[in-house]
Structure formats: structure tokens, C-alpha cells
């Protein structure tokens, strides 16, 4: 029988796992039944700007593993459509589409399933490669796609919140928001990891 040697983790991977395990928010999310600590960012942002309205049809982009959708269900939202390139374990009351948001056929599917879109929340971030410039370029170019989709499909008074990174293309995102929406605001949640370049931009059409 062929025996496989267990691959040992590098020092930085071990440190990452340690930090992750020690992270209070990870433990808190777990104890409350949420799939990710990301839930605390959405909670914090909504407490600040109060943009989530219960009767809204909500599109949750980059939804997996699902804590933002879980949060919306817990708050009593009924019409939630979640989309991610990765699969997501089912959440009752949430419709899920597996696919790449940047593809036209996925955007058409979203419009068909949700009908009128009132609010878009996007936590999309590409898999990190270790090259921070490239990672923020790739994520931020999807964020620009999200803003353009929102601009074309939201009616006046509707909202979009998306993640972006300080770095490549961030100025394009801020300018696009200013030029195409009636209101925009940049938010840095305290629940983001220390040292992270992650930011959120909220825009109202
Ligand atoms: C930070 S995670 C989202 C966490 C989620 N908000 C939660 O509360 O569990 C970012 C997600 O964006 C997804 N993603 C990246 N590129 C995407 C794309 N082009 N279309 C859809 N989802 C994408 C990733 O697969 C990943 O699951």
C-alpha cells in the first residue's frame, strides 16, 4: 500500500490558523450559529446607516458560506436571492444561484428570479493569491461590475453596498459612485480584520 506523508503546514499558515481560532468574532459567530464572522460587518454597517428594509427584495452577492443571508433571514427578510461562484449550504427562505456574477447569463438569471431588485449587498472578494495588488485589482474590478449592474437595475431610492479594497482601482469605484448615485458613503467596519484594506461603499440611487 502506498503511504502518503502528511504535508506539514508552513509557519505563516500555522500563525493564520492560530489567529483565526483565537479571533473572538469567529467564536462569537459560531456560538450564535452564523457561518462566518462577516455577519458582524453587515450588522455594524446597518446599525450605522439603517439601509436594510424588511419588505425589500435583496440580492446577496458573494454570499457563501452564508452569514449575511442568515442574518437577513434572522431579521425577518423574506425575499433573498444569494449568488456565489462557490456552492452554499442551503438556508431556508433563501434562493441560491451558483455562478460567476460577472457573467451575463448569471445576471439575466438574477433578474428573472428576483424581478424587482430593491437592495444589493456584495461581499464579493476573489481568492487571494499573495499578490496584494493583483488581488485588489481583481476584486475591485468585480465591484465596478456590481456598481454598474446596480446603476442599470435599481430604481431611485434603492441601495447598494459593496466591499472593495484600498488600492488598485479604488479611485475608479469612488468616482463611479459619486457620478452615478445620488448619495455615497465609504464605511470601514470595526469588525474588519486588523490591518485589512477592506472597505465598503454604500450608494443610494
Ligand atoms: C468574503 S466571502 C463572502 C462571505 C459572506 N458574505 C458571508 O457572510 O458568509 C467572498 C465570496 O465572494 C465569492 N466570489 C468571488 N468572486 C465571485 C464572483 N465573480 N461571482 C460570485 N461570487 C464570487 C467567493 O466565492 C466568496 O465566497
Amino acid at each position: 500500500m502506498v503511504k502518503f506523508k502528511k504535508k506539514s503546514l508552513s509557519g505563516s499558515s500555522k500563525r493564520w490558523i492560530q489567529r483565526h481560532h483565537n479571533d473572538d468574532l469567529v467564536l462569537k459567530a459560531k456560538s450564535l450559529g452564523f457561518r462566518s464572522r462577516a455577519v458582524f460587518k453587515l450588522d455594524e454597517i446597518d446599525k450605522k446607516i439603517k439601509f436594510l428594509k424588511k419588505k425589500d427584495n435583496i440580492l446577496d452577492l458573494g454570499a457563501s458560506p452564508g452569514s449575511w443571508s442568515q442574518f437577513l433571514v434572522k431579521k425577518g427578510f423574506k425575499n433573498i436571492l444569494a449568488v456565489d461562484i462557490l456552492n452554499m449550504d442551503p438556508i431556508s427562505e433563501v434562493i441560491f444561484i451558483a455562478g460567476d456574477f460577472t457573467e451575463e447569463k448569471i445576471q439575466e438569471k438574477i433578474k428573472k428570479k428576483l424581478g424587482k431588485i430593491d437592495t444589493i449587498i456584495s461581499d464579493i472578494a476573489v481568492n487571494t493569491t499573495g499578490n496584494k495588488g493583483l488581488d485588489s485589482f481583481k476584486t475591485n474590478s468585480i465591484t465596478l461590475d456590481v456598481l454598474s449592474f446596480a446603476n442599470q437595475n435599481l430604481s431611485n431610492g434603492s441601495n447598494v453596498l459593496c466591499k472593495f479594497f484600498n488600492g488598485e482601482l479604488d479611485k475608479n469605484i469612488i468616482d463611479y459612485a459619486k457620478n452615478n448615485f445620488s448619495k455615497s458613503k465609504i464605511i470601514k467596519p470595526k469588525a474588519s480584520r486588523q490591518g485589512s484594506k477592506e472597505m465598503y461603499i454604500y450608494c443610494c440611487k
Side-chain angles (χ1 to χ4, degrees):
M1 193 167 67
V2 184
K3 278 196 177 164
F4 291 97
K5 224 177 166 185
K6 246 189 180 173
K7 223 177 165 188
S8 60
L9 292 170
S10 68
S12 64
S13 304
K14 277 185 193 152
R15 277 195 299 280
W16 186 90
I17 290 169
Q18 197 68 42
R19 212 170 54 231
H20 188 76
H21 280 311
N22 291 339
D23 187 331
D24 286 348
L25 290 184
V26 174
L27 297 176
K28 192 174 165 195
K30 218 172 172 186
S31 74
L32 295 172
F34 290 107
R35 295 174 185 178
S36 151
R37 72 199 287 292
V39 65
F40 300 115
K41 300 177 207 169
L42 182 61
D43 187 28
E44 192 184 325
I45 293 169
D46 191 45
K47 280 193 175 120
K48 201 174 223 163
I49 58 173
K50 298 186 173 47
F51 75 111
L52 295 170
K53 308 275 178 313
K54 265 186 200 147
K55 285 196 178 136
D56 282 359
N57 287 355
I58 298 197
L59 175 60
D60 179 6
L61 296 172
S64 191
S67 75
W68 282 18
S69 282
Q70 287 181 300
F71 173 82
L72 295 171
V73 170
K74 222 170 176 177
K75 290 266 172 201
F77 289 83
K78 297 280 178 236
N79 306 310
I80 307 156
L81 176 63
V83 179
D84 204 291
I85 219 163
L86 297 178
N87 222 338
M88 183 169 94
D89 286 342
I91 299 173
S92 61
E93 314 242 20
V94 177
I95 300 171
F96 179 68
I97 295 177
D100 182 341
F101 168 74
T102 61
E103 288 179 10
E104 208 179 313
K105 69 167 194 258
I106 297 296
Q107 297 187 3
E108 287 310 314
K109 229 177 178 178
I110 290 169
K111 288 191 255 177
K112 221 169 164 184
K113 279 253 187 255
L114 205 53
K116 183 171 165 277
I117 307 169
D118 300 304
T119 297
I120 301 172
I121 53 177
S122 170
D123 202 19
I124 286 182
V126 296
N127 268 343
T128 49
T129 60
N131 179 338
K132 286 190 176 153
L134 181 66
D135 293 342
S136 54
F137 177 84
K138 282 161 106 183
T139 291
N140 287 354
S141 66
I142 301 178
T143 301
L144 279 167
D145 282 347
V146 175
L147 288 179
S148 156
F149 178 84
N151 187 27
Q152 285 164 41
N153 292 286
L154 293 180
S155 48
N156 288 350
S158 296
N159 307 303
V160 56
L161 173 81
C162 4
K163 190 210 286 286
F164 72 103
F165 290 109
N166 257 154
E168 301 285 332
L169 296 180
D170 60 355
K171 195 174 173 315
N172 303 57
I173 290 169
I174 295 162
D175 287 347
Y176 187 89
K178 275 189 189 150
N179 294 333
N180 293 283
F181 292 87
S182 65
K183 236 189 327 190
S184 66
K185 189 178 170 67
I186 294 169
I187 304 159
K188 173 80 187 165
K190 289 197 184 79
S192 281
R193 283 184 194 284
Q194 243 191 347
S196 159
K197 288 186 182 298
E198 170 186 78
M199 314 283 284
Y200 289 83
I201 188 156
Y202 161 76
C203 309
C204 179
K205 186 84 175 111

